[in-house]
Amino acid sequence: MSQSVVVQVGQCGNQVGCRFWDLALREHAAVNKKGIYDEALSSFFRNIDTRSGGDGPDIYKGKICSLKARALLIDMEEGVVNEILQGPLRDVFDSKQLITDVSGSGNNWAVGHKLYGYQYQENIVEKLRKTAEHCDCLQCFFIIHSMGGGTGSGLGTFVLNLLEDEFPEVYRFVTSVYPSGEDDVITSPYNSVLAMKELNEHADCVLPIENESLFDIVNKIHQMTNSGKLGSTVKQNSLVTSSAGSAKTVQEKPFDAMNNIVANLLLNLTSSARFEGSLNMDLNEISMNLVPFPRLHYLVSSLTPLYTLADVNVPSRRLDQMFSDAFSRDHQLIQADPKHSLYLACALLVRGNVQVSDLRRNIERLKPSLHFVSWNQEGWKTGLCSVPPVGHSHSLLALANNTCVKPTFIQLKDRFMKLYKKKAHLHHYLHIDGMEQSCFSEAISSLSDLIEEYNELDATKGGPRTDPSRLKIAV
Amino acid sequence: MSIVTVQLGQCGNQIGHEVFNAICSDVRGTHGLCSKKENESYHDACKERFFSEEESVVPVARAVLVDMEPKVISQTLSIAARSGYWKYDDRSHFCQKQGSGNNWANGYSVHGPRHKEVIMNLVQKEAEKCDRLGGFFTIMSMAGGTGSGLGAFVTQCLRDAFPTSFILNHVIWPYGTGEVIVQNYNSVLTLSHLYQSSDALLVHENDVIHKICAQLMNIKQISFRDVNQVIAHQLGSVFQPTYTAEGGLYYSRNPLGDLMETLVPHPEFKMLGLRNIPQMPENSLAYSTFSWPGLIKHLRQMLIANAKMEEGIDWQVRPPRLGSSIPSSHSTNKPLHFNTSIANLVILRGKDTHSVDLGSFRDPSLYTSWLNPQDAFNAWKTPRAFNKYEKSASLVSNSQFLLKPLDNVVGKAWNMFASKAYIHQYTKFGIEEEDFLDSFTALEQVISSYTIL
């Protein structure tokens, strides 16, 4: 079994990360009844002997003593991390795995990347090495951050660079929260585009998330659960937005529900690597199958179902509905409609009581309404994990490498250009050591190239299909 | 003589486990429908073939389990042991932590060389346990990274280390509509490499077995376990002991060698297909009776019309009329759907096998003209019924059965290759475009050879 390390950077990254660890503990507690430290747990947690006070050696087998998250918490202001350390999860984090500062990055990518990056480089590398040493077989780094601010965006992508240099063989999966149009951070387009360049060049896979989509999903659930009779039969802990049953007992904050969705995304993504199933899908397989060309590594994700009803008997119709929903526009975690764009590849990871025939039936059913690129007409990667998420009998995570990400990138580019043309706020960036005008022009150029690659693929959509002629063998 | 089974990757290990289960449960069963003496001979022959007599309460399977991640092997070992009827040797497995990521290049070029010594040591140990080694049976899928890539490498190592032993690869063809996106690349690379080191490739297609589960076994929610059990039943029906000679006194002791001798006269033609009849849910067995003429008639038509199972056979297809002097390389006079054979093997198990008329299989018009019709067809029999079927017949065929599936896979892989999609994932581990081209060329050659039969 391999291990993964989570690096949560900035306010958003740490808040999402916090929800992730909470829900991960909840999930393992539901499965691991005997309290034995097993391989599944070891993928995200260390087991420490605390009898020797504080920092004992790792225990690899036997009963769970004290679980520590394989995580690195980075923030350039203290508020969020301090809150985590005072909350119910304080014992899950190793106090030596934190890097904080006081003044924050002022929503400035350059401050995060160039200033703090340079300042904390050694510290970060040392702590990363320490976490890696605790791993038997480190397979993947998960970075969680937002694109629009300063720390998550700037320092987060600096860490991404470091990971590539220090651990070139380990996969880098980045969960990036993109700013919405009405973002109150004026410079978020600059920060995002500068960060995009780093993601283009150094990430193995990026899972873009948009707050608007998370917000819509939360609302949908809210309406459902408040809609009288139907609402009352919903199992509370099954909501993809819920913290029910987790360590968090305080009144939920507004972003908690949205962050839980992202946390669930990561849990589902790694479920087949942690738990058994009849067709396993590991993280390296996700990267292998969903990234046909190195730079096209942006994966649109969707989670279904959003909730389960207490009704235990699930007729196959409802199962099929789960598959249909995964492709609908309102279940995607970014503002996109994969059905009307072009698929390069698609992965379906099913959890729980679902068999291969259900999977095949639904793929056959949905295929005709989807557009796949000509050279990957049967571009499906499937996984079956036996263990369902908490509160569900089955669930589905769909990951799509689809040109429907293009609009998000185009909007980002447009907002960037609006500011850049007028040189608005540029001086805040340029006066940072190491920042030059070329950083901006290179970044926007990188984004434009990416958009162009998607355009070229879109141009092939629906066109005449001419298969290349086969090799001729002399008889 | 004993067969050492090498189970590779998730698929190989899951199927391997079902195979030993099926064999063990057949041998233990009291539905042999034959004399006690017969049953004992069968039991002994089977034991020698697949299980070793160690100081153990239950028989120990002659198998080596290999996977690049631990979950499947640990499950397989524990489920087998829990059955109480057989188990694996606790030391006869090798696994790593990270898996192969569905990457053939990773399996072949990285994991292969890295772990060659350890794996071959395990194989050597199993081989040494055999009084006489009858050969190797490897089980793998083509779609993933370990079974396919590492499997191809291990097969090569087996060939190098045991140059005179028989090697039979059991290869699982993935579902046509994707289990793995790069499955066609992995398949092309696997098949082309196996062709060089293996003696024969025995193929099972997931799509076909799935249909059997749905239509013949009436299973509503088909799981991989169901699929694997059907495959295990079909394999068991081939590899359980039989008499290979008419009036033979002893169960044949060299199943792999006999198989190769009857079915693979030429190294260019190694693709073997398998059909088994009848196939039905266990609880219907008691209510069904079959006649040998009926079974043989269906099996023959399945061969000629390339039907995958006993339902939906196209009875219109007929063998070409003999006597036309046009040599078989100009196949214009053959009806398009007709499946030409190089060699066939029919295995009959159960009641009254001695009286079955197999003349229809000896019809020369079924075969190419290279082999004497007498040599092109063979029959193995045993009065001992298999797995509760009063009568069962299997067909192992070296024919055009797999031509279309092979052509499809190569076509799709070529299509993807033309766009260079995913190639960077392979070059990362040392498989270059040139290697792909070599593989494509090799398989186009095989396709061409089978087409002009």
Side-chain angles (χ1 to χ4, degrees):
Chain A
M1 185 79 67
S2 52
Q3 288 84 38
S4 301
V5 171
V6 175
V7 182
Q8 33 195 89
V9 191
Q11 173 175 22
C12 170
N14 277 290
Q15 282 176 339
V16 173
C18 182
R19 298 313 313 136
F20 168 76
W21 291 110
D22 201 2
L23 292 182
L25 283 169
R26 182 180 77 157
E27 182 168 270
H28 279 280
V31 177
N32 191 336
K33 299 290 183 200
K34 295 192 191 143
I36 305 281
Y37 180 67
D38 59 9
E39 299 243 335
L41 262 177
S42 86
S43 64
F44 278 114
F45 295 94
R46 292 164 58 202
N47 189 20
I48 299 208
D49 188 349
T50 44
R51 286 169 301 175
S52 40
D55 189 31
D58 279 24
I59 309 174
Y60 291 101
K61 282 194 169 141
K63 279 218 157 281
I64 294 175
C65 202
S66 170
L67 291 175
K68 294 284 180 210
R70 298 188 194 277
L72 197 53
L73 285 66
I74 304 178
D75 201 356
M76 292 297 100
E77 51 173 16
E78 298 177 311
V80 179
V81 174
N82 277 346
E83 209 185 311
I84 295 177
L85 294 179
Q86 281 155 19
L89 289 179
R90 58 181 165 277
D91 290 326
V92 174
F93 297 105
D94 186 343
S95 56
K96 293 192 295 313
Q97 293 304 104
L98 311 170
I99 299 178
T100 54
D101 203 312
V102 203
S103 25
S105 303
N107 286 327
N108 187 327
W109 184 92
V111 171
H113 196 95
K114 303 279 184 188
L115 197 76
Y116 285 124
Y118 179 71
Q119 191 175 332
Y120 283 99
Q121 176 165 350
E122 244 175 81
N123 194 349
I124 295 174
V125 172
E126 194 201 310
K127 298 205 153 108
L128 284 172
R129 290 235 181 88
K130 212 70 216 293
T131 25
E133 269 161 38
H134 288 301
C135 296
D136 203 350
C137 175
L138 177 59
Q139 183 180 59
C140 185
F141 282 107
F142 285 99
I143 295 185
I144 313 179
H145 71 148
S146 72
M147 300 283 277
T151 303
S153 177
L155 189 53
T157 48
F158 182 80
V159 172
L160 180 61
N161 264 287
L162 277 183
L163 291 177
E164 189 177 40
D165 289 335
E166 301 288 325
F167 306 91
E169 316 254 296
V170 181
Y171 287 92
R172 297 172 291 284
F173 274 63
V174 187
T175 307
S176 307
V177 181
Y178 280 69
S180 61
E182 303 88 40
D183 200 280
D184 50 3
V185 175
I186 301 180
T187 49
S188 67
Y190 282 163
N191 297 332
S192 303
V193 174
L194 289 162
M196 274 292 285
K197 172 164 177 289
E198 307 299 316
L199 293 183
N200 279 340
E201 292 173 13
H202 305 291
D204 287 311
C205 275
V206 178
L207 300 158
I209 314 273
E210 280 179 309
N211 274 344
E212 279 162 70
S213 301
L214 296 180
F215 191 67
D216 288 341
I217 291 175
V218 169
N219 273 344
K220 210 169 142 154
I221 292 178
H222 204 65
Q223 276 170 15
M224 231 291 313
T225 48
N226 290 339
S227 64
K229 216 167 166 194
L230 198 63
S232 61
T233 59
V234 170
K235 282 162 79 175
Q236 277 307 307
N237 67 349
S238 73
L239 302 179
V240 74
T241 50
S242 142
S243 309
S246 68
K248 197 178 177 75
T249 45
V250 194
Q251 172 72 31
E252 289 191 12
K253 305 227 292 285
F255 278 106
D256 273 351
M258 290 161 63
N259 291 341
N260 280 336
I261 299 176
V262 185
N264 275 313
L265 165 65
L266 289 172
L267 283 177
N268 282 334
L269 190 66
T270 54
S271 61
S272 188
R274 289 176 291 136
F275 302 116
E276 38 129 75
S278 63
L279 190 58
N280 296 336
M281 181 153 98
D282 209 339
L283 293 165
N284 50 9
E285 294 175 30
I286 292 177
S287 163
M288 172 71 178
N289 284 286
L290 292 174
V291 184
F293 299 101
R295 280 169 33 112
L296 300 180
H297 54 244
Y298 293 86
L299 307 178
V300 179
S301 50
S302 66
L303 291 170
T304 57
L306 300 175
Y307 50 78
T308 37
L309 304 180
D311 180 2
V312 184
N313 298 313
V314 181
S316 127
R317 231 179 344 113
R318 203 160 280 157
L319 189 65
D320 288 8
Q321 185 61 42
M322 176 176 84
F323 281 90
S324 302
D325 284 341
F327 293 90
S328 79
R329 163 198 275 267
D330 49 2
H331 279 75
Q332 309 301 317
L333 299 190
I334 64 167
Q335 301 281 288
D337 189 4
K339 259 189 160 154
H340 293 104
S341 305
L342 189 64
Y343 274 91
L344 302 181
C346 185
L348 295 175
L349 179 42
V350 191
R351 297 180 66 173
N353 185 17
V354 184
Q355 301 302 342
V356 65
S357 54
D358 301 312
L359 200 48
R360 302 240 65 77
R361 181 181 67 245
N362 280 288
I363 290 178
E364 293 303 317
R365 187 172 63 86
L366 293 165
K367 220 167 59 139
S369 58
L370 304 170
H371 308 279
F372 273 83
V373 73
S374 68
W375 41 261
N376 205 0
Q377 288 283 301
E378 275 109 15
W380 297 90
K381 163 70 180 159
T382 55
L384 291 163
C385 173
S386 320
V387 178
V390 175
H392 293 262
S393 59
H394 49 87
S395 76
L396 171 65
L397 164 67
L399 293 171
N401 192 340
N402 187 308
T403 56
C404 66
V405 284
K406 206 176 59 171
T408 304
F409 296 154
I410 293 178
Q411 275 173 33
L412 205 57
K413 182 177 170 187
D414 290 342
R415 282 186 232 136
F416 175 96
M417 291 312 290
K418 247 192 183 155
L419 293 174
Y420 192 58
K421 277 204 196 107
K422 295 189 258 167
K423 306 237 186 298
H425 305 282
L426 222 47
H427 55 286
H428 288 135
Y429 291 76
L430 295 176
H431 89 249
I432 302 288
D433 223 357
M435 276 305 279
E436 287 160 12
Q437 191 93 14
S438 59
C439 294
F440 281 85
S441 50
E442 276 167 25
I444 196 64
S445 164
S446 171
L447 181 56
S448 299
D449 286 344
L450 183 66
I451 293 174
E452 196 40 46
E453 277 189 61
Y454 280 110
N455 274 334
E456 274 169 32
L457 284 165
D458 268 335
T460 66
K461 180 169 166 237
R465 168 115 180 258
T466 43
D467 288 341
S469 40
R470 298 265 292 271
L471 290 175
K472 298 251 183 309
I473 302 292
V475 167
Chain B
M1 281 181 141
S2 312
I3 300 176
V4 172
T5 302
V6 184
Q7 310 181 173
L8 296 146
Q10 172 166 29
C11 175
N13 280 292
Q14 283 175 187
I15 290 183
H17 166 254
E18 295 297 347
V19 172
F20 283 108
N21 243 1
I23 290 175
C24 212
S25 116
D26 173 46
V27 161
R28 265 182 14 242
T30 48
H31 319 268
L33 297 183
C34 59
S35 69
K36 189 156 174 250
K37 185 159 170 291
E38 187 72 64
N39 216 13
E40 270 169 25
S41 296
Y42 186 80
H43 183 263
D44 291 340
C46 172
K47 279 287 291 295
E48 180 197 49
R49 232 172 245 202
F50 296 111
F51 298 94
S52 61
E53 284 296 350
E54 298 179 20
E55 296 124 34
S56 157
V57 181
V58 289
V60 178
R62 300 186 188 279
V64 178
L65 292 70
V66 179
D67 200 356
M68 289 297 102
E69 63 115 349
K71 297 196 296 283
V72 182
I73 287 188
S74 82
Q75 245 191 317
T76 307
L77 289 173
S78 71
I79 298 180
R82 275 204 307 250
S83 75
Y85 294 116
W86 67 279
K87 67 188 194 77
Y88 286 104
D89 183 336
D90 291 322
R91 296 149 301 173
S92 209
H93 67 267
F94 175 74
C95 60
Q96 287 294 278
K97 305 207 182 258
Q98 265 211 46
S100 300
N102 288 164
N103 191 324
W104 194 92
N106 196 4
Y108 186 84
S109 307
V110 177
H111 287 131
R114 198 179 282 174
H115 307 300
K116 174 178 172 177
E117 223 179 293
V118 181
I119 296 175
M120 290 311 285
N121 272 342
L122 288 176
V123 172
Q124 187 70 38
K125 274 214 198 87
E126 278 298 329
E128 277 162 19
K129 276 196 230 164
C130 306
D131 272 342
R132 280 166 68 205
L133 178 63
F136 298 96
F137 181 57
T138 71
I139 313 180
M140 63 223 276
S141 84
M142 301 197 300
T146 299
S148 69
L150 181 61
F153 186 83
V154 167
T155 304
Q156 219 166 281
C157 295
L158 287 175
R159 177 51 72 215
D160 291 336
F162 302 88
T164 54
S165 290
F166 294 106
I167 302 176
L168 175 66
N169 288 78
H170 179 230
V171 182
I172 300 296
W173 220 264
Y175 286 97
T177 50
E179 291 173 35
V180 170
I181 293 177
V182 291
Q183 64 188 39
N184 297 312
Y185 279 166
N186 292 340
S187 301
V188 164
L189 291 164
T190 305
L191 291 171
S192 58
H193 277 79
L194 286 183
Y195 233 76
Q196 289 164 24
S197 359
S198 173
D199 288 308
L201 278 62
L202 182 59
V203 175
H204 267 115
E205 299 166 74
N206 271 352
D207 281 305
V208 171
I209 305 296
H210 192 104
K211 272 221 191 81
I212 291 178
C213 286
Q215 292 178 239
L216 299 180
M217 312 292 278
N218 284 331
I219 303 174
K220 291 280 176 290
Q221 203 190 19
I222 300 167
S223 66
F224 269 116
R225 189 146 177 266
D226 297 316
V227 172
N228 293 345
Q229 284 178 340
V230 171
I231 293 176
H233 172 85
Q234 294 204 344
L235 288 175
S237 77
V238 173
F239 290 111
Q240 285 291 56
T242 53
Y243 296 99
T244 48
E246 204 61 59
L249 292 172
Y250 300 105
Y251 277 111
S252 145
R253 299 185 68 196
N254 189 8
L256 288 182
D258 292 337
L259 199 81
M260 302 307 172
E261 204 186 297
T262 57
L263 290 174
V264 190
H266 189 292
E268 182 69 5
F269 299 89
K270 292 181 178 170
M271 309 284 296
L272 306 179
L274 175 51
R275 302 281 183 272
N276 174 265
I277 185 177
Q279 195 102 57
M280 57 177 29
E282 198 176 304
N283 47 21
S284 308
L285 278 174
Y287 308 107
S288 322
T289 45
F290 295 92
S291 70
W292 280 119
L295 288 174
I296 298 303
K297 187 164 169 225
H298 275 75
L299 196 59
R300 182 178 184 262
Q301 194 61 24
M302 278 160 73
L303 168 64
I304 297 174
N306 198 356
K308 312 283 190 178
M309 57 181 183
E310 63 248 47
E311 251 175 52
I313 302 176
D314 184 354
W315 291 94
Q316 301 295 332
V317 180
R318 292 252 177 280
R321 258 177 261 296
L322 259 195
S324 42
S325 54
I326 303 171
S328 56
S329 57
H330 302 281
S331 45
T332 46
N333 60 326
K334 288 214 168 85
L336 283 168
H337 320 292
F338 177 75
N339 181 45
T340 311
S341 305
I342 293 172
N344 286 311
L345 167 66
V346 166
I347 302 170
L348 304 176
R349 299 177 183 274
K351 213 160 143 209
D352 303 327
T353 47
H354 54 270
S355 60
V356 180
D357 176 12
L358 290 167
S360 59
F361 273 98
R362 294 186 215 279
D363 181 353
S365 64
L366 266 54
Y367 300 93
T368 62
S369 55
W370 320 330
L371 292 176
N372 230 320
Q374 315 294 35
D375 301 325
F377 176 74
N378 280 277
W380 298 351
K381 302 180 187 176
T382 170
R384 209 277 188 182
F386 172 67
N387 211 8
K388 302 178 190 154
Y389 283 81
E390 185 199 59
K391 303 186 178 84
S392 68
S394 300
L395 166 69
V396 186
S397 175
N398 190 345
S399 64
Q400 292 172 321
F401 264 168
L402 293 155
L403 180 51
K404 194 141 169 287
L406 182 58
D407 193 55
N408 278 343
V409 164
V410 172
K412 287 187 205 162
W414 185 248
N415 198 8
M416 192 181 270
F417 184 68
S419 70
K420 301 284 175 281
Y422 298 101
I423 299 296
H424 71 284
Q425 307 270 16
Y426 291 85
T427 52
K428 197 161 67 170
F429 293 110
I431 296 292
E432 309 292 333
E433 280 185 35
E434 238 175 69
D435 299 305
F436 274 93
L437 281 172
D438 287 341
S439 290
F440 278 114
T441 312
L443 290 183
E444 292 285 9
Q445 180 69 58
V446 174
I447 291 172
S448 166
S449 304
Y450 270 102
T451 308
I452 58 175
L453 278 185

